[in-house]
Amino acid sequence: MWIRSVEENIRRAALVVAPPLLRLALLLPFLRSGLTRWDGFLSLSPATLFLFENQFKIHVLGAAYDFPAPDLVAFFVALAEIVLPVLLLVGLATRMAALALLIMTGVIQLVFPDGWANFHLYWAALAAGVMALGPGALSLDRLIRRRACPRAAGGLPGEDPG
């Protein structure tokens, strides 16, 4: 019986520690990329524009296609690579931010088909973990939920009821 008690304590501790660690691990590669894309406030770097206009191609069924409206796509990607990691950092709209990064990972996979085993698989697993576990106890989502509906926010520390 003591083994079950130890396992339960490990589970409870993991419910507190895992969600912020997953959020941090997922946000880092996207934030790092996002920080390289800007040349000032809301001003994309020339290198970013060049990449989206000339280098990045979508690979589908053995063919490579240009991005439609590459400057607009570059702007929204660069913005998402900053905003979504910040949301993950503070744990706000956590599941939606993780879903958006999972979708971005899927698009990145189409641009860099060889990156699945080295990067994209891990990003997808982290995003799925965040979506499954939720933001955890150390998040604005949890704080907002506790204030809006105190009875629904009960349970184990880190456990996400919704």
Side-chain angles (χ1 to χ4, degrees), residues 2 7 21 25 27 32 36 40 43 57 68-70 78 84 87 90 94-95 99 106 112 122 124 129 148 152 161:
W2 69 272
E7 287 178 341
L21 286 178
L27 76 84
R32 286 181 182 146
T36 68
S43 175
K57 307 288 183 204
L84 296 172
L87 290 174
V90 299
T94 306
R95 284 189 167 109
L99 175 61
F112 299 104
Y122 303 104

Side-chain angles (χ1 to χ4, degrees), residues 1-107:
M1 271 315 190
W2 69 272
I3 291 177
R4 282 191 183 169
S5 175
V6 169
E7 287 178 341
E8 181 61 20
N9 287 335
I10 291 170
R11 186 183 77 79
R12 286 175 181 257
L15 283 172
V16 174
V17 174
L21 286 178
L22 288 170
R23 293 186 347 239
L24 182 63
L26 179 59
L27 76 84
L28 284 175
F30 288 94
L31 183 62
R32 286 181 182 146
S33 176
L35 291 173
T36 68
R37 300 211 184 276
W38 298 97
D39 207 19
F41 184 71
L42 296 181
S43 175
L44 290 176
S45 71
T48 295
L49 293 172
F50 177 82
L51 288 172
F52 278 85
E53 291 169 354
N54 301 298
Q55 298 288 70
F56 291 168
K57 307 288 183 204
I58 301 171
H59 297 87
V60 179
L61 301 174
Y65 302 95
D66 291 335
F67 272 101
D71 292 356
L72 189 60
V73 170
F75 179 80
F76 283 115
V77 166
L79 190 62
E81 287 180 333
I82 298 294
V83 172
L84 296 172
V86 169
L87 290 174
L88 285 179
L89 181 66
V90 299
L92 183 62
T94 306
R95 284 189 167 109
M96 298 307 278
L99 175 61
L101 290 175
L102 179 62
I103 292 167
M104 282 183 67
T105 299
V107 174

